[in-house]
């Protein structure tokens, strides 16, 4: 654990941000620039693919990969981001597990608000199943909004009659569009990235007038998690979204779901993206990789390729 590393990361992400309202294009460019500074691990190879109706990036370890697939959902408040902006996270999961991943380029708001991203997630999962993948060899993972999508895609898939995947890993997931968690207020000023007011514009773009009091928008407070696969929720104490994870963990336990709530002190939102620069990030990714390795099961059958 390095207090100096944590302090340096905190200072870096607290750099002054533009105060004037930004266009969606400016927001997307700014996010690309920020995430472009993250360290992408060596030892991966990527190529374009398609899952369902959407593009994706297929990420594999150099050399032989293990049988197993991670369906990854990038973060970005449902408005910004892409498979490329999440490559530090996807790449680290791939190199640490030996599994391949598909990082989905799901539709973004405001052009395509709720529930477009969830529909894309279910379509991608269905494509993996149709290609011959066994659900016991598939895990969902994601960060921030993508962590939320990992959960809500599982909800929608289950409700559509599909088998659930083997596991879910969510890094600092957004799981409550009602914004009723106590940490929304208790962590105000502590969180170097977000404020309640700062989340409002992108939240409104994704909601597009929909009531947030729906399971697919606020699963931490409203979802029926019966039959869910094991979940790993990783979050930092310096997050206004902290209680999204703590309440989801409680809800999962009450539904009889195996869940690990993994809280790291004094780190910001999606701190795992700072792997290579923050010891806690690397350690958290090691724990996530172990969780996936323990949950993904293969039956020895030849795996067919999707994309």
């Amino acid at each position: 654990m390095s207090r100096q590393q944590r302090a340096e990361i905190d200072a870096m992400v607290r750099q002054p941000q533009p105060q004037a309202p930004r266009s969606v294009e400016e927001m997307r460019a700014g996010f690309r620039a920020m995430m472009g500074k993250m360290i992408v691990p060596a030892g991966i190879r990527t190529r374009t693919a398609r899952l369902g109706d959407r593009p994706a990036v297929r990420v594999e370890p150099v050399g032989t990969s293990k049988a197993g697939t991670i369906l990854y959902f990038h973060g970005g408040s449902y408005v910004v981001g892409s498979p490329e902006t999440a490559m530090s996270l996807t790449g680290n999961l791939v190199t640490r597990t030996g599994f391949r991943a598909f990082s989905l380029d799901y539709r973004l708001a405001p052009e395509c608000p709720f529930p477009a991203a969830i529909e894309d997630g279910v379509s991608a999962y269905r494509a993996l199943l149709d290609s011959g993948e066994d659900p016991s060899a598939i895990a969902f993972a994601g960060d921030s909004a993508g962590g939320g999508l990992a959960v809500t895609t599982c909800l929608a898939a289950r409700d559509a009659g599909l088998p659930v995947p083997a596991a879910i890993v969510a890094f600092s997931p957004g799981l409550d569009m009602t914004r009723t968690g106590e940490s929304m207020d208790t962590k105000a000023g502590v969180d170097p990235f977000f404020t309640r007011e700062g989340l409002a514009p992108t939240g409104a773009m994704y909601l597009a007038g929909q009531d947030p009091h729906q399971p697919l928008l606020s699963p931490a407070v409203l979802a029926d998690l019966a039959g869910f696969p094991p979940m790993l929720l990783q979050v930092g104490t310096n997050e206004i979204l902290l209680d999204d994870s703590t309440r989801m963990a409680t809800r999962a336990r009450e539904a009889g779901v195996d869940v690990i709530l993994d809280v790291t002190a004094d780190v910001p939102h999606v701190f795992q993206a700072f792997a290579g620069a923050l010891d806690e990030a690397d350690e958290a990714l090691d724990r996530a990789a172990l969780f996936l390795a323990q949950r993904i099961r293969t039956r020895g059958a030849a795996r067919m390729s999707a994309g």
Side-chain angles (χ1 to χ4, degrees):
M1 302 290 181
S2 170
R3 291 187 178 182
Q4 181 178 347
Q5 288 176 338
R6 283 180 286 182
E8 289 172 353
I9 295 295
D10 188 80
M12 182 179 72
V13 298
R14 287 186 189 276
Q15 292 298 313
Q17 299 297 316
Q19 295 301 308
R22 294 185 295 167
S23 68
V24 171
E25 291 73 19
E26 290 170 331
M27 292 167 58
R28 289 172 178 166
F31 190 73
R32 280 195 303 271
M34 179 181 72
M35 298 307 293
K37 299 175 183 177
M38 304 303 167
I39 300 170
V40 176
I44 60 170
R45 61 179 187 268
T46 64
R47 63 183 175 91
T48 58
R50 289 196 73 83
L51 282 180
D53 298 326
R54 296 299 302 169
V57 174
R58 179 171 173 159
V59 186
E60 295 175 300
V62 172
T64 304
S65 63
K66 298 178 182 177
T69 298
I70 301 167
L71 180 57
Y72 197 87
F73 301 92
H74 68 81
S77 301
Y78 303 102
V79 172
V80 304
S82 69
E84 289 73 24
T85 62
M87 194 55 65
S88 64
L89 293 160
T90 314
N92 269 294
L93 288 178
V94 167
T95 57
R96 282 169 160 82
T97 63
F99 301 135
R100 68 174 181 175
F102 286 94
S103 188
L104 184 65
D105 193 4
Y106 58 86
R107 288 172 290 171
L108 298 175
E111 296 89 345
C112 300
F114 171 81
I118 299 171
E119 292 171 349
D120 291 345
V122 173
S123 177
Y125 181 46
R126 194 184 296 272
L128 287 175
L129 296 175
D130 290 346
S131 77
E133 284 282 332
D134 192 281
S136 66
I138 301 171
F140 293 175
D143 63 281
S144 193
L149 276 176
V151 171
T152 55
T153 295
C154 188
L155 276 173
R158 181 202 64 185
D159 292 349
L162 297 177
V164 299
I168 295 172
V169 171
F171 302 134
S172 299
L175 297 166
D176 178 22
M177 292 295 289
T178 70
R179 309 296 192 209
T180 54
E182 289 185 6
S183 59
M184 291 293 296
D185 299 313
T186 60
K187 298 298 180 178
V190 177
D191 191 320
F193 279 118
F194 296 137
T195 64
R196 180 188 290 276
E197 296 74 23
L199 290 176
T202 52
M205 290 178 196
Y206 183 58
L207 287 172
Q210 290 268 1
D211 184 353
H213 294 83
Q214 300 180 46
L216 291 179
L217 286 168
S218 302
V221 291
L222 293 169
D224 173 7
L225 301 179
F228 247 54
M231 289 194 293
L232 171 64
L233 306 172
Q234 288 189 343
V235 66
T237 60
N238 291 5
E239 299 195 50
I240 61 174
L241 296 183
L242 172 61
D243 283 352
D244 285 35
S245 289
T246 60
R247 289 176 298 158
M248 175 58 77
T250 298
R251 196 167 192 84
R253 284 193 296 269
E254 290 174 348
V257 175
D258 290 339
V259 59
I260 298 173
L261 175 64
D262 182 352
V263 182
T264 298
D266 300 326
V267 292
H269 187 65
V270 193
F271 66 95
Q272 299 87 345
F274 294 97
L278 179 66
D279 291 345
E280 288 84 351
D282 288 286
E283 292 162 4
L285 286 163
D286 284 343
R287 295 193 297 273
L290 176 61
F291 175 84
L292 289 170
Q294 291 173 331
R295 298 306 186 280
I296 288 181
R297 299 282 183 260
T298 57
R299 297 180 178 176
R303 185 180 66 197
M304 298 178 65
S305 174

